[in-house]
Amino acid sequence: YGRTEGEIDTVRAIARSTDTFFYKVGELVGAERLAFWARKFGLGQDSGIDLLGEVSGLVPDPEWKLKTKGERWFLGNTYHMAIGQGDVAASPLQVNSMTTVVANGGKRCRPKVEKVDESSESRKGCEELGLKEGTLQEIAEGTKGACATGGTAFPFFNFEPRLACKTGTAQTVGEKTHAWLTAFGPLQGDPLQAQNADKAIAITALIEEGGEGSKIAAPVVRQVLQKWFAP
């Protein structure tokens, strides 16, 4: 909105959706490493959900671009990829699965439609991604900040119980943008966590060509969660 952020860290960058921060992080990490970790989180591949017709999406890399388009990879491609734009294609289910990695403390679990109990035997579809505890903590704090005052998801500033979330506004080939919001909660340590212990949830909404994630997708998710957490 024409304002500047100044000097920020990872937590603030996530909370404020500061693209320029992630451009530079992407440049430092490199396209190949970005693609490696994106796939570890479940992007660019089937999730294994017990439904037919799942689309795997796309995580591009220099080899893919050369083979598919006959073009070299440029730094601008890395910038686009670092914020989930350019040739990156992901489904709401994949973004939701990625969100649950943070909610689950670094475990990626295969989603299921059929209800299962929470015993260890029924959770064999989960994989530890080997993320450092400090890395997970920074991501979690950033997503908490997005839902708190000063973050981008203003419809959740006074929401109870407290949530962690991330807004997204994805450009398309046309003038309109896709509106995203992904969230999970209730958060550990929230005063209302105990009474909502059986209502833990990760939720993702995509409003195609809807506009901004904070203005369009966030209110939709808020309405769903108001029903979900209602006594």
Side-chain angles (χ1 to χ4, degrees), residues 3 16 26 38 42 45 48 83 88 93 96 99 137 141 148 161 193:
R3 297 190 295 271
R16 294 291 302 156
Q45 57 192 282
I83 61 168
V88 175
L93 178 61
N96 187 263
T99 303
Q137 191 171 22
E141 287 301 316
Q193 182 197 10

Side-chain angles (χ1 to χ4, degrees), residues 44-110:
Q45 57 192 282
D46 292 350
S47 68
I49 193 171
D50 46 338
L51 288 172
L52 298 176
E54 184 180 5
V55 178
S56 59
L58 174 64
V59 174
D61 57 28
E63 182 180 355
W64 170 87
K65 188 182 180 188
L66 185 62
K67 182 179 179 180
T68 305
K69 297 186 173 184
E71 299 172 357
R72 290 174 51 223
W73 186 273
F74 296 101
L75 178 58
N77 299 126
T78 303
Y79 286 169
H80 287 156
M81 181 182 177
I83 61 168
Q85 296 269 186
D87 291 308
V88 175
S91 69
L93 178 61
Q94 289 173 331
V95 172
N96 187 263
S97 294
M98 181 174 64
T99 303
T100 63
V101 172
V102 183
N104 289 334
K107 295 179 183 178
R108 180 163 70 93
C109 299
R110 181 167 63 90

Side-chain angles (χ1 to χ4, degrees), residues 8 35 43 53 134 168:
I8 59 173
L43 301 183

Side-chain angles (χ1 to χ4, degrees), residues 15 48 65 68-69 79 88 93 106 114 116 126 145 147 157 181 188 214 216:
K65 188 182 180 188
T68 305
K69 297 186 173 184
Y79 286 169
V88 175
L93 178 61
E114 180 186 4
V116 296
C126 294
C147 271
F157 285 178
L181 191 286
Q188 293 285 339
S214 57
I216 305 300

Side-chain angles (χ1 to χ4, degrees), residues 107-150:
K107 295 179 183 178
R108 180 163 70 93
C109 299
R110 181 167 63 90
K112 289 183 67 67
V113 174
E114 180 186 4
K115 187 175 181 180
V116 296
D117 63 42
E118 294 298 313
S119 68
S120 58
E121 189 65 27
S122 68
R123 302 291 287 180
K124 285 186 176 179
C126 294
E127 172 195 2
E128 284 278 4
L129 298 190
L131 296 166
K132 294 179 181 178
E133 186 176 344
T135 301
L136 272 171
Q137 191 171 22
E138 280 194 86
I139 298 171
E141 287 301 316
T143 53
K144 290 176 189 177
C147 271
T149 302

